Amino acid sequence: MALTGALAALEHLLARHDVTGALRNARDWHAREPGNVLALISLGDALEAHGNIATAARVYGSIIDLFPGRADMRRFAGERLARLNAARDLIIDTYRRAVEDRPDHVTGHRLLAYALLRAGKPADAFT
């Protein structure tokens, strides 16, 4: 499914390499709707494109704070953090909690195993 709305507009700006415009739009959207996960994703993506990796990681981490009981949102945030190669301990923790909450979701087990491998813990990963 194609993106629509404000997220699509932001991704269009990023595709045109208008990082400044994308960051401005994302900040405005987040200021209007601070609890909107799509606004957070937009802000994180714009910050990432701008090269502000530390702040992008904080934004993606706030998705975990807003939705601590949702394994799908934990996995999503963990994937974004992994893409940034940031907050390795947080990534492992959020994947581990996602597996605990939804052991029937195979994706969580796979993501946790890969995160543990990247952290140099192969025995834990294969367990």
Side-chain angles (χ1 to χ4, degrees):
M1 176 174 13
L3 294 176
T4 60
L7 184 58
L10 181 112
E11 293 299 328
H12 179 70
L13 289 171
L14 290 176
R16 289 189 358 222
H17 304 288
D18 183 1
V19 176
T20 303
L23 189 53
R24 182 179 53 249
N25 286 1
R27 283 186 172 144
D28 290 346
W29 186 11
H30 182 257
R32 286 190 315 274
E33 301 178 54
N36 184 328
V37 71
L38 294 178
L40 285 168
I41 293 166
S42 293
L43 183 56
D45 286 354
L47 287 163
E48 193 175 338
H50 192 259
N52 195 337
I53 303 305
T55 306
R58 290 181 65 202
V59 169
Y60 296 141
S62 65
I63 294 171
I64 298 167
D65 293 337
L66 285 171
F67 305 98
R70 295 230 358 228
D72 59 332
M73 297 304 268
R74 283 185 166 278
R75 289 191 307 265
F76 177 83
E79 288 176 296
R80 290 297 172 114
L81 290 166
R83 182 171 82 184
L84 298 176
N85 198 23
R88 184 172 286 164
D89 291 339
L90 177 59
I91 295 166
I92 291 169
D93 179 66
T94 202
Y95 288 154
R96 190 169 274 132
R97 289 178 189 229
V99 167
E100 289 170 4
D101 289 346
R102 292 304 306 259
D104 57 318
H105 289 182
V106 177
T107 302
H109 295 275
R110 180 180 53 83
L111 290 170
L112 175 58
Y114 286 146
L116 289 165
L117 281 173
R118 283 190 292 276
K121 301 176 180 181
D124 293 340
F126 288 104
T127 299

